[in-house]
Amino acid sequence: MPNYSQRSFWLETCGDDLTPRPSLPHSLDVDVAILGGGYTGLWTAYYLLESNPDLKVAVLEKEIVGFGASGRNGGWCSSKFPVSASMLEHRYGLEKARALMVAMNGAVDEIARVCESEQIDAHFHKGGILTLARGEHHLPMLRSSFEAYSRLGLGQQYALLSAEQVQDRIRVTHVRGALFAAENASLHPARLVRGLARAIEKRGGVIYEKTGITGFRPGSPATLLSAAGEVRASRAVVLAGESYLTQLPQLHRVVLPIYSLITLTEPLSEQQWDAIGWQHRESVASCNYTVDYLTRTADGRILFGSRGAPYRFGSLISDDQELHTPTHSHIEQLVLEWFPMLQGIRFTHHWGGSVGMPRDWMPMVAFDPRTRIATARGYTGQGVSTTNLTGKILAELISGQRTHLSELPIAERSSPLWEIEPLRWLAVRYMQDAFRRIDEGGKKGKEPMDAALAKYIGAH
Ligand SMILES: Cc1cc2nc3c(=O)[nH]c(=O)nc-3n(C[C@H](O)[C@H](O)[C@H](O)COP(=O)(O)OP(=O)(O)OC[C@H]3O[C@@H](n4cnc5c(N)ncnc54)[C@H](O)[C@@H]3O)c2cc1C
């Protein structure tokens, strides 16, 4: 039996015995069959059962609940969206962009509400996000984000901070300023996903673990296929496997699996925290294109996450990419570069997982009543609260009880497919390298010649 607790610090400390639930015993007939025991699948089940308690809902999970990104992420439960506010405005207009941002704020509060009502102790903490300018070159990005939020009428939730004001909150090297975003929280990801599973079971949903789905058939009923049998669903089949969907031949190019890797320190001493500050436990990042995200955990450790593990040909997902030593060593160095006062700190955990990146960076949620296939995916590392929103929308679309959420620009759309190989590999490796060079060049005040091209591709 695999040792699931080794997949992340979160699974190790979620307080659950991770012994798998029983797997699918034989073929079944249900109302709704869901592939994937992560946040997307479980929020969908949760809201379906909340509005239709008599519905027969089955969740089919290849490993255990929380095995995927939902049990491994950085713990940011944020209203941040994979597409920037200004790009949303550019693509969908001011009103729709604003509606989406307001719905994202709502999702953060909704997660807090459900944790409370279902007694899920997910260490929810609303500390906001601090996006740091580490160098003068980051300041224009912060100003333009603030202006975009202000145009959407949300400026009161954000504040531009000077370097001195940041120092009062957190002591990090090279800081020139920050954007503070109040409507954001952090949480214990695995406690949330495991608690959600229990809430669904309480409402009559059934979860089968160690049940890999090998394919699906649209129709009436729509069907999930597995070695143990078929699950026929009269209302809908929900495909909620995020980056792993690429392993189903029909969905191979719908997203790109990109690895995000995390390093965790031992708990810091009181003196170390005094030197750093960070008393409000904000989620912290910089404006780097190579992405960095930091969380102060409830037990006083620093979680530092970053992209960087190279994309593997053919959208390969494999265990060895989760422990990519060069990337993890690089992250350890980053921790010390950000916080030189932590020289000698011990790093206790390293892990990683893949995020699903759509070709246009825009998450999607859709249900086709003709084929009875529903899906939500493409969160690009911003899925903790977005999945709450997409799960709610999926439940609305499937049950026909639509609200204004089903009108949001993420609903009833689809992203273009990724290019075929070897084009995909060439383009993604180029972007990974270009983003690294842009970050390096920015620090020295000289971006590479192809910076504009890489930024353009990265935003489209
Ligand atoms: C390292 C890392 C850090 C991240 N940090 C953050 C963060 O701080 N904040 C944030 O908002 N987002 C973050 N994300 C992204 C976020 O975790 C995801 O967007 C979110 O968890 C997606 O949930 P999901 O249910 O769609 O997918 P998953 O959690 O990946 O769940 C999919 C499930 O489907 C199962 N499955 C797949 N294929 C099959 C099959 N064929 N048959 C049966 N079951 C199958 C998998 O085993 C898995 O359990 C991070 C992701 C990673 C990897």
Side-chain angles (χ1 to χ4, degrees):
M1 186 60 59
N3 188 348
Y4 291 114
S5 66
Q6 285 176 357
R7 292 284 169 166
S8 73
F9 168 73
W10 303 123
L11 284 169
E12 182 188 311
T13 57
C14 70
D16 269 13
D17 169 6
L18 299 178
T19 306
R21 294 167 167 85
S23 54
L24 180 72
H26 46 65
S27 292
L28 273 189
D29 290 290
V30 295
D31 296 313
V32 179
I34 299 176
L35 175 161
Y39 300 139
T40 301
L42 298 181
W43 281 122
T44 308
Y46 182 80
Y47 289 116
L48 278 169
L49 290 165
E50 190 177 57
S51 57
N52 307 276
D54 297 333
L55 221 55
K56 233 173 139 185
V57 177
V59 177
L60 294 309
E61 164 56 49
K62 183 172 55 143
E63 300 290 344
I64 58 164
V65 161
F67 173 81
S70 303
R72 311 179 188 203
N73 60 69
W76 286 41
C77 176
S78 82
S79 57
K80 217 163 166 256
F81 197 70
V83 179
S84 71
S86 59
M87 183 55 79
L88 286 174
E89 186 188 351
H90 173 72
R91 285 187 191 170
Y92 305 106
L94 199 138
E95 278 314 312
K96 287 196 163 169
R98 178 185 155 76
L100 184 52
M101 292 288 93
V102 169
M104 286 296 296
N105 284 341
V108 175
D109 293 337
E110 170 67 0
I111 291 171
R113 184 195 70 79
V114 175
C115 285
E116 183 150 359
S117 68
E118 300 293 344
Q119 296 177 329
I120 301 171
D121 180 13
H123 302 167
F124 186 95
H125 169 76
K126 203 161 180 181
I129 294 180
L130 267 179
T131 306
L132 306 178
R134 293 192 72 229
E136 296 291 324
H137 61 298
H138 284 165
L139 286 171
M141 295 188 229
L142 294 185
R143 278 189 218 110
S144 101
S145 291
F146 181 70
E147 282 160 16
Y149 290 121
S150 300
R151 279 198 304 279
L152 299 184
L154 302 171
Q156 76 285 358
Q157 296 171 10
Y158 297 84
L160 282 169
L161 306 183
S162 66
E164 293 69 36
Q165 287 170 314
V166 178
Q167 288 286 312
D168 289 342
R169 287 175 177 263
I170 186 167
R171 259 82 72 193
V172 173
T173 51
H174 308 304
V175 170
R176 296 287 179 274
L179 180 65
F180 177 67
E183 295 303 311
N184 296 280
S186 64
L187 50 68
H188 188 303
R191 281 175 165 262
L192 173 62
V193 73
R194 307 281 307 175
L196 262 181
R198 281 193 293 274
I200 287 158
E201 287 173 324
K202 247 188 341 202
R203 285 160 191 257
V206 182
I207 300 172
Y208 299 100
E209 295 185 326
K210 298 297 288 175
T211 304
I213 298 303
T214 51
F216 62 94
R217 240 185 356 243
S220 199
T223 308
L224 285 177
L225 312 172
S226 83
E230 300 184 346
V231 185
R232 296 173 291 265
S234 59
R235 300 283 287 272
V237 148
V238 180
L239 304 171
E242 184 61 344
S243 62
Y244 302 95
L245 290 176
T246 55
Q247 296 178 326
L248 296 175
Q250 290 134 291
L251 301 176
H252 183 57
R253 288 196 284 141
V254 294
V255 289
L256 189 81
I258 285 288
Y259 272 81
S260 198
L261 266 52
I262 289 176
T263 288
L264 191 75
T265 69
E266 64 187 333
L268 271 57
S269 66
E270 242 171 73
Q271 292 89 321
Q272 285 168 322
W273 281 123
D274 284 346
I276 291 173
W278 205 353
Q279 295 304 318
H280 303 294
R281 286 183 52 209
E282 301 92 336
S283 303
V284 176
S286 80
C287 302
N288 275 338
Y289 282 87
T290 41
V291 179
D292 37 47
Y293 51 94
L294 291 78
T295 299
R296 175 176 171 169
T297 63
D299 69 343
R301 301 161 185 264
I302 294 179
L303 174 155
F304 198 119
S306 179
R307 303 268 163 76
Y311 167 75
R312 292 270 286 276
F313 192 86
S315 294
L316 185 74
I317 294 180
S318 62
D319 287 356
D320 64 315
Q321 283 162 281
E322 294 170 19
L323 291 172
H324 187 252
T325 307
T327 305
H328 277 128
S329 304
H330 177 64
I331 297 175
E332 289 184 3
Q333 283 162 24
L334 287 177
V335 173
L336 299 178
E337 199 253 313
W338 280 52
F339 305 105
M341 61 287 254
L342 292 185
Q343 279 303 332
I345 192 88
R346 233 166 34 89
F347 296 94
T348 56
H349 294 73
H350 302 91
W351 74 92
S354 56
V355 305
M357 191 180 282
R359 182 68 180 78
D360 59 1
W361 307 88
M362 185 72 180
M364 58 89 69
V365 37
F367 169 58
D368 181 344
R370 281 177 310 111
T371 60
R372 299 198 180 275
I373 301 294
T375 186
R377 59 178 182 247
Y379 310 105
T380 314
Q382 310 279 352
V384 174
S385 31
T386 319
T387 48
N388 174 268
L389 188 56
T390 58
K392 212 176 215 179
I393 296 174
L394 272 183
E396 287 186 5
L397 296 176
I398 293 166
S399 62
Q401 297 163 335
R402 298 169 71 111
T403 71
H404 67 286
L405 296 180
S406 304
E407 309 301 320
L408 292 173
I410 47 174
E412 302 193 280
R413 66 174 301 278
S414 165
S415 301
L417 295 179
W418 280 92
E419 283 73 4
I420 52 169
E421 297 289 21
L423 276 182
R424 192 158 77 235
W425 184 87
L426 285 168
V428 179
R429 282 293 186 100
Y430 163 71
M431 290 302 297
Q432 289 187 315
D433 181 60
F435 282 166
R436 188 187 51 72
R437 288 184 288 109
I438 291 173
D439 287 343
E440 284 307 310
K443 279 191 244 168
K444 297 173 196 142
K446 194 167 185 311
E447 287 197 337
M449 303 247 292
D450 57 347
L453 172 71
K455 287 180 195 177
Y456 177 82
I457 300 174
H460 288 79

